[in-house]
Amino acid sequence: MELTISTPALLFSTVSLLMIAFTNRFLALASLIRDLHVKYKTEEEKENIVAQIIGLQRRIRIVRNIQIIAISSLLLSAVCMLLIFVERELAAKWFFGGALLLQIIALTLSVREITLSMNALKLELSDMAELISPASHRKRKKGESHTKA
């Protein structure tokens, strides 16, 4: 396989998009934590708020790791381009492989964070189930009345 300088350059756009998306995600999570902290100070029921903050802190750590790994991938891509420029093809291939591996890890962590986010939303909305789907709630109620009778 011949590695040209444009090959590792392809990762630049991917990493840039990943960084923008997860910087925005980080800011949104930080804002949620701040809001929950204010709520924690004013509300009596603190256990649910603490659990939510712990979950958000976990997600923030994952997002931070995604950002660090994505930046590292970008750095390896740049070094790879430099190695191609100075005609060190074998070393360039190793750096490019490392950059791809880091990109795969970042994307895998991204899936993990999205999964945690969806689980948090399901938990948050679980008490609103009847408002979201009144027809299925009525069916459930009907089924309950048949089993009780």
Side-chain angles (χ1 to χ4, degrees), residues 21-146:
F22 280 95
T23 297
N24 289 340
R25 197 115 170 131
F26 182 87
L27 294 172
L29 291 170
S31 177
L32 283 172
I33 288 173
R34 286 185 194 98
D35 291 347
L36 284 172
H37 184 257
V38 169
K39 200 173 180 182
Y40 175 83
K41 287 181 174 182
T42 59
E43 293 209 10
E44 297 282 325
E45 184 62 39
K46 297 181 187 286
E47 287 139 16
N48 186 24
I49 295 170
V50 170
Q52 289 180 40
I53 289 174
I54 290 169
L56 289 170
Q57 287 175 326
R58 183 175 174 197
R59 288 175 52 203
I60 269 194
R61 279 192 302 274
I62 292 172
V63 169
R64 179 203 59 206
N65 291 339
I66 290 169
Q67 291 174 319
I68 290 168
I69 292 168
I71 289 169
S72 299
S73 174
L74 189 61
L75 179 63
L76 289 184
S77 295
V79 171
C80 174
M81 292 170 69
L82 177 66
L83 290 169
I84 292 169
F85 182 74
V86 296
E87 298 178 356
R88 303 282 184 183
E89 191 168 333
L90 183 60
K93 285 181 180 180
W94 280 102
F95 274 85
F96 183 66
L100 286 176
L101 182 62
L102 289 176
Q103 186 86 331
I104 290 167
I105 292 169
L107 292 171
T108 303
L109 284 174
S110 172
V111 170
R112 177 69 180 137
E113 196 280 329
I114 289 168
T115 303
L116 289 173
S117 173
M118 292 304 298
N119 290 340
L121 285 174
K122 283 180 189 175
L123 182 64
E124 186 71 27
L125 296 176
S126 65
D127 62 342
M128 296 176 58
E130 73 181 57
L131 296 174
I132 293 170
S133 180
S136 65
H137 183 67
R138 281 192 296 268
K139 286 179 188 174
R140 221 176 309 128
K141 286 274 190 192
K142 241 184 216 182
E144 289 172 4
S145 63
H146 284 288

